[in-house]
């Protein structure tokens, strides 16, 4: 069986003036063309080789000795190398660029843009194509996720509400602008936490843990940081948000709430210039 859009081990069944025909013992009449410029050196009839099987513009099977950056059913960040009236072409590591038709674009694509592209086989033409409209291939719900769960997110689009993300390479969600305390751009991979699962099953993601669990973890990070720096820190509730993010990977709002909790517990003293660990409550 030949798996289109995947790597296959095929047999060289014939040598041609311009290349080779490849096939499998199970289906010897289904031929894949390997052009000479895409073939490894010194191959001959009867050899078994590993190739990527793709399609040409007519849907005919063609082989490449090198593996592309993304295969059918997968999603990866690719760069647009040219744009026409009917679509954009992306470099995916093969001589023939991957076409994303205009109707399969989540947003208008310009040359040089980096986009999250999903590879699929068009059922009408049999050709391998790309799409940035991930909602056509991934669900916006998941029965396997729970609120508060840590997940991996990859940004694939920006909207007025925030950022659309691919969660765990499995389903789609949204990071609201108010929950995006650090800069995000298309293709970025970041850790997130399931903030809410709505009544319709759609998923909201935040970049930091919610409520008391996240705050308790951050409070311990602050105490550990104070111990590591002799009981003092110049990162206060007045510090720039970027400085706080660089040290603790959280928003300024979350940091201020954690400081307030530690202050109420009398574990720290706060003044405009510094935070000091209270020695009588200095346990880690």
């Amino acid at each position: 069986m030949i798996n289109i859009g995947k790597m296959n081990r095929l047999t060289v069944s014939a040598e041609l003036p311009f290349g080779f025909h490849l096939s499998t013992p199970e289906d010897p009449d289904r031929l894949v063309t390997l052009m000479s410029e895409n073939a490894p050196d010194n191959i001959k009839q009867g050899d078994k080789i590993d190739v990527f099987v793709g399609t040409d513009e007519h849907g005919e099977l063609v082989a490449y000795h090198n593996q592309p950056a993304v295969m059918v059913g997968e999603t990866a960040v690719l760069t647009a190398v040219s744009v026409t009236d009917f679509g954009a072409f992306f470099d995916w590591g093969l001589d023939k660029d991957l076409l994303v038709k205009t109707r399969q674009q989540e947003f208008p694509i310009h040359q040089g843009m980096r986009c999250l592209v999903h590879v699929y086989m068009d059922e009408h033409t049999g050709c391998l194509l790309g799409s940035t409209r991930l909602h056509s291939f991934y669900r916006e719900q998941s029965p396997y996720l729970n609120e508060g769960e840590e997940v991996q997110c990859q940004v694939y689009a920006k909207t007025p509400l925030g950022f659309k993300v691919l969660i765990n390479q499995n389903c789609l969600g949204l990071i609201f602008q108010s929950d995006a305390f650090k800069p995000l751009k298309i293709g970025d991979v970041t850790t997130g936490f399931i903030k809410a699962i709505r009544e319709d099953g759609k998923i909201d993601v935040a970049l930091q843990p919610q409520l008391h669990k996240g705050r308790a973890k951050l409070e311990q990070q602050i105490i550990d940081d104070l111990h590591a720096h002799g009981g003092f820190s110049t990162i206060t509730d007045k510090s720039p948000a970027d400085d706080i993010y660089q040290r603790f990977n959280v928003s300024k709002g979350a940091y201020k709430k954690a400081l307030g909790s530690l202050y109420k517990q009398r574990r720290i003293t706060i003044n405009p210039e510094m935070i000091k660990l209270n020695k009588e409550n200095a346990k880690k």
Side-chain angles (χ1 to χ4, degrees), residues 115-127:
C115 304
L116 203 57
V117 180
H118 183 83
V119 177
Y120 70 100
M121 181 183 292
D122 184 80
E123 60 183 15
H124 301 294
T125 65
C127 293

Side-chain angles (χ1 to χ4, degrees), residues 256-268:
K256 290 175 69 173
K257 289 176 183 177
L259 287 184
S261 176
L262 289 171
Y263 179 78
K264 290 178 181 178
Q265 298 172 47
R266 299 183 180 180
R267 299 181 72 183
I268 60 171

